[in-house]
Amino acid sequence: MTTDARPAEERRLVIREALSVGIATGAYGISFGALAVSAGLDVWQACALSLLMFTGGSQFAFIGIISAGLHAAPAAIAASSLLGVRNGLYALELTQLLGVRGVRRLAAAHITIDESTAVAVSQSHGKAARLGFWLTGLTVFALWNFTTLVGALVGNALGDPKAWGLDAAACAAFTALLWPRLKNRDAVAIAVVAAVVAVLLAPATPPGVPVIVAALAAFIAWREPRRGAVDTDGDAEDSEPRRTGSEVQS
C-alpha cells in the first residue's frame, strides 16, 4: 500500500499545480480579447490570433502595433522577438525531458510557454514532469482561447481587467508553485537574486528582458562554486558534492 500511495499522491500534486497555474493564466485571455476588438479586430480575428499565435506577450505586442500605429512597431517587434528567444530556450530544456516525436512534437512546441515549462521543470522525475507539461499547456491553451472569445464578445463592458486582479492571478500562481521548492538557504538566495534583478530591470527594459536576465543571474548564482573547508594541509575540500540539475529542481 505504501509503495502505491506515493506515486498517486505525487500525481495529484502535479494535477493541482497544473490546473491552478493553467486556470490563473487562462483567465487573463479576457484582457487580450477585449483589447483586440478595441484595437479594430473583429471577434474571429482575435480568436484566430489566440488559436494560431498563442504566445501571450507577442499577441499583446501585435495589438499594440495595430492600436498605436507603425511607429510602435520597432519596440513591439523587439519585445516579441525576445519572448520568442525565451521560448526557444525553454524548448532546449524540454526536448530531452519530453522525448516526443512527429505530430506530438509539433503540439508540444505550440504549448511550450512559461507556465507549462515552469510546472514541468519543477517536478522531481520525468513522468511527473511530462504530465505537468501537457496538462498545464493544454489547460492554458483551452482557457486562453475560450476567454479570448469571451473578452472579444463582451468588449470593454468589463472595464480594465487589472481591476479584477486578472493580471496578478498568473503571478500569484507562479509564486505558489515556487514557494514549496524553497527548501534551503541556497534556493532562497537564488530566488531573491533573480527577483531583485527582474524588479530593477522591469521599468527600463522591454518585456521579456527582465525574465531572461534574471534567469541568467540565477543560473550563475547556482553554478558558483562553493567555498570548501580547508584541511590542515591547506587544501580546499568541498563541504558537499555538487548537485545535479534534477536534485536542485526537486
Side-chain angles (χ1 to χ4, degrees):
M1 293 294 293
T2 57
T3 56
D4 294 334
R6 185 174 179 180
E9 178 61 28
E10 289 180 351
R11 181 181 177 85
R12 286 193 293 269
L13 179 61
V14 174
I15 291 174
R16 286 198 299 268
E17 290 181 352
L19 291 179
S20 62
V21 172
I23 292 171
T25 305
Y28 198 49
I30 292 176
S31 175
F32 173 74
L35 290 173
V37 295
S38 66
L41 298 182
D42 60 31
V43 172
W44 300 115
Q45 287 172 331
C47 291
L49 275 176
S50 284
L51 182 66
L52 302 175
M53 198 173 188
F54 188 55
T55 54
S58 295
Q59 291 179 231
F60 282 104
F62 180 79
I63 293 301
I65 296 176
I66 295 177
S67 60
L70 291 179
H71 68 275
I77 292 172
S80 59
S81 298
L82 286 169
L83 294 170
V85 169
R86 185 178 66 188
N87 283 13
L89 295 175
Y90 293 161
L92 292 176
E93 172 72 19
L94 293 171
T95 297
Q96 296 298 323
L97 183 63
L98 298 178
V100 291
R101 297 289 185 273
V103 176
R104 292 187 66 197
R105 191 181 184 94
L106 294 175
H110 197 52
I111 62 172
T112 297
I113 53 177
D114 294 338
E115 294 77 15
S116 59
T117 302
V119 174
V121 301
S122 67
Q123 306 308 318
S124 58
H125 55 84
K127 187 174 182 180
R130 288 187 288 273
L131 173 62
F133 172 84
W134 286 107
L135 184 55
T136 305
L138 292 174
T139 301
V140 174
F141 181 78
L143 288 178
W144 182 266
N145 281 276
F146 173 72
T147 54
T148 294
L149 174 61
V150 172
L153 290 174
V154 175
N156 293 325
L158 290 174
D160 187 356
K162 293 181 180 180
W164 296 82
L166 295 178
D167 59 322
C171 296
F174 271 107
T175 302
L177 183 66
L178 173 66
W179 187 259
R181 311 295 169 182
L182 303 180
K183 297 178 179 179
N184 54 60
R185 286 180 297 178
D186 290 344
V188 172
I190 291 172
V192 169
V193 168
V196 170
V197 170
V199 169
L200 292 177
L201 291 178
T205 57
V209 172
V211 175
I212 295 173
V213 178
L216 180 61
F219 179 77
I220 293 173
W222 171 62
R223 296 295 297 178
E224 184 70 22
R226 297 171 178 272
R227 178 174 296 179
V230 179
D231 62 14
T232 55
D233 296 329
D235 295 329
E237 296 180 350
D238 290 336
S239 58
E240 64 179 275
R242 184 179 295 276
R243 295 169 292 176
T244 63
S246 59
E247 291 171 333
V248 172
Q249 294 166 0
S250 62

